[in-house]
Amino acid sequence: MKNGINMDFFKPKSPPLIGVDISTAAIKMVELSKNGKNLAIERYVIEPLPKEAMADGNINNFDVVSEAIKRAWRKLGCRTRNAALALPSGAVITKKITVPAGLRDRELEMQVESEANQYIPFALEEVNLDFQIIGPSPATPSEVEVLIAASKKEKVEDRVAVAEAGGLKTLVMDVESFATQAAFELIQRQLPGAGQDQTIAVVDVGATMMHIMVLRNGQQVFLREQAFGGNQLTQDIQRRFNLSPDEAEIAKKSGGLPEAYEPEVLKPFMESLAQEVSRSLQFFFASTQFNQVDFILLGGGCGSIPGLDEVVANRTQVSTLIANPFLGMSQPSRIKPRQLLQDAPALLIACGLALRKFES
Ligand SMILES: Nc1ncnc2c1ncn2[C@@H]1O[C@H](COP(=O)(O)OP(=O)(O)OP(=O)(O)O)[C@@H](O)[C@H]1O
Ligand SMILES: [Mg+2]
């Protein structure tokens, strides 16, 4: 550096990092950039995974998954191999605790470990433990809230290893629900009043799972997962029209199914999806002090089903929007706006992970 002066206004650029979501149906990668306050989506890819490569958030077939990561990264066409990954929320125990403000690092660590000891059902040596100070406790200003996250080491190691075999270097290991929340914060700005004082449900319906998270003023107030997803629709298509799983999956996305498909297969699926959402909301009301939600945001691959927002809104009587974290971001001409619009709901987690690039 010239004269050894530290010129603050030449802040180092965010180190390169891509968000990588290793999920049941696909490997998804997103790269974002930032110019001042403006975000841009630079690149993304959705590389399908064969059935059974992943199961319940676990890597079932290591080689198949690592090969798909290699292919996805090549298609992404970006130089960095630095990645932010996430663990499935179910593999992570999180807990919020409050401790006196102003503890020294070592004291805080000891507090966290002793708290963790009480509720983590494994020996601490088997566990990756992490914590983050959230801020002053709303109730008692002399205390701070700390979020603890713990996961079995092998879960972390499996993901890091498969990413490495796929040519990636893991710099960040996040949790899927936190990544969804980070993406949500972008979407929230699109809502009336930027979502302030609103109770908002983010419903991510993927291939196998439906994740429901309810947020209010930046806090997760409810989290639930249900075994329900787009694979059910694929199976219905297979059965009804006598197709192989792959044929059914392709036909579902590209159309060309017989006329009976919409009324007899698709509509009933959409109805039962809406019913699952409604049930989860009932469960939310029954188990918390809340008795209404103001908005539903639909994410996950099933969020791309045309008209699903309307069916869910009708069933739940709640305003429902398709979750698109990229709305308002600039995009290079290599990304086709219509394709991105279609893919956006499935990219919530990958987008949330890509945002980790901008942390300092
Ligand atoms: N345009 C579309 N129309 C209908 N279904 C679609 C469309 N696009 C994707 N899907 C379905 O969405 C599902 C994949 O969604 P997503 O990518 O969110 O799943 P995932 O994150 O891999 O799964 P999970 O979260 O269960 O691990 C598949 O069942 C796929 O068929
Ligand atoms: Mg998913």
Side-chain angles (χ1 to χ4, degrees):
M1 214 178 303
K2 234 200 260 169
N3 305 330
I5 298 167
N6 192 357
M7 292 177 286
D8 263 352
F9 45 91
F10 283 149
K11 283 216 174 86
K13 282 200 201 125
S14 320
L17 185 76
I18 50 180
V20 178
D21 177 15
I22 303 173
S23 65
T24 315
I27 305 291
K28 303 166 200 168
M29 298 183 181
V30 169
E31 188 194 14
L32 302 176
S33 67
K34 205 175 196 178
N35 187 350
K37 279 198 149 186
N38 299 324
L39 284 169
I41 173 164
E42 291 293 333
R43 303 176 167 79
Y44 76 93
V45 67
I46 299 179
E47 178 67 21
L49 277 174
K51 254 188 123 186
E52 264 113 60
M54 298 285 297
D56 290 333
N58 293 315
I59 297 149
N60 227 4
N61 191 327
F62 189 92
D63 295 340
V64 166
V65 175
S66 65
E67 285 304 315
I69 292 173
K70 277 186 203 162
R71 280 198 305 279
W73 187 78
R74 247 181 268 128
K75 288 183 188 170
L76 186 70
C78 130
R79 248 180 267 139
T80 187
R81 293 176 179 275
N82 295 342
L85 308 187
L87 290 171
S89 314
V92 183
I93 301 170
T94 57
K95 190 172 161 62
K96 220 190 278 176
I97 61 166
T98 50
V99 300
L103 286 186
R104 267 177 280 148
D105 286 357
R106 186 64 206 130
E107 291 168 329
L108 183 57
E109 262 169 49
M110 279 164 57
Q111 280 264 4
V112 166
E113 279 180 16
S114 94
E115 285 279 340
N117 246 331
Q118 292 171 38
Y119 64 85
I120 294 173
F122 319 112
L124 279 188
E125 305 85 72
E126 296 172 45
V127 165
N128 277 15
L129 191 62
D130 198 4
F131 63 89
Q132 194 190 347
I133 298 175
I134 306 173
S137 153
T140 348
S142 61
E143 294 187 324
V144 289
E145 288 187 320
V146 178
L147 182 67
I148 308 183
S151 148
K152 286 202 97 174
K153 275 190 180 142
E154 61 195 49
K155 301 266 182 196
V156 177
E157 286 159 4
D158 280 357
R159 294 215 160 211
V160 172
V162 84
E164 189 180 348
L168 301 180
K169 185 174 174 212
T170 306
L171 295 193
V172 173
M173 183 62 74
D174 207 327
V175 182
E176 289 182 356
S177 62
F178 296 163
T180 303
Q181 187 175 346
F184 162 79
E185 279 161 18
L186 297 178
I187 303 170
Q188 191 179 23
R189 299 182 198 155
Q190 305 159 17
L191 298 175
Q196 272 304 301
D197 299 325
Q198 312 266 11
T199 308
I200 302 160
V202 181
V203 181
D204 179 312
V205 192
T208 56
M209 280 294 193
M210 172 186 273
H211 298 270
I212 301 212
M213 181 195 305
V214 185
L215 295 136
R216 189 175 168 89
N217 293 334
Q219 303 272 347
Q220 276 183 32
V221 292
F222 183 73
L223 191 63
R224 182 175 198 237
E225 57 179 38
Q226 277 277 96
F228 183 95
N231 279 355
Q232 246 136 295
L233 176 57
T234 310
Q235 278 163 20
D236 294 345
I237 296 172
Q238 271 171 255
R239 247 181 261 125
R240 180 69 171 72
F241 303 110
N242 229 332
L243 297 174
S244 75
D246 288 344
E247 289 167 338
E249 185 63 41
I250 292 167
K252 175 183 175 182
K253 288 186 210 152
S254 55
L257 285 164
E259 230 170 78
Y261 170 59
E262 273 208 34
E264 292 174 28
V265 183
L266 182 61
K267 278 270 139 61
F269 172 80
M270 288 161 84
E271 284 298 339
S272 50
L273 193 160
Q275 195 174 346
E276 289 297 334
V277 176
S278 171
R279 267 202 213 123
S280 287
L281 292 183
Q282 294 309 322
F283 195 79
F284 164 58
F285 300 145
S287 59
T288 62
Q289 81 275 27
F290 293 90
N291 49 27
Q292 68 155 60
V293 295
D294 300 297
F295 289 98
I296 294 173
L297 294 174
L298 278 182
C302 290
S304 314
I305 299 175
L308 184 65
D309 44 352
E310 215 172 301
V311 176
V312 171
N314 279 339
R315 161 70 70 161
T316 58
Q317 294 297 304
V318 178
S319 306
T320 303
L321 303 167
I322 304 300
N324 181 354
F326 307 113
L327 215 71
M329 284 192 198
S330 35
Q331 24 182 295
S333 54
R334 63 175 166 264
I335 295 179
K336 296 195 188 75
R338 275 190 50 192
Q339 190 63 46
L340 181 60
L341 209 57
Q342 163 122 335
D343 292 332
L347 294 170
L348 279 183
I349 290 173
C351 175
L353 292 173
L355 284 167
R356 295 292 302 257
K357 177 177 175 181
F358 309 115
E359 269 170 17
S360 51

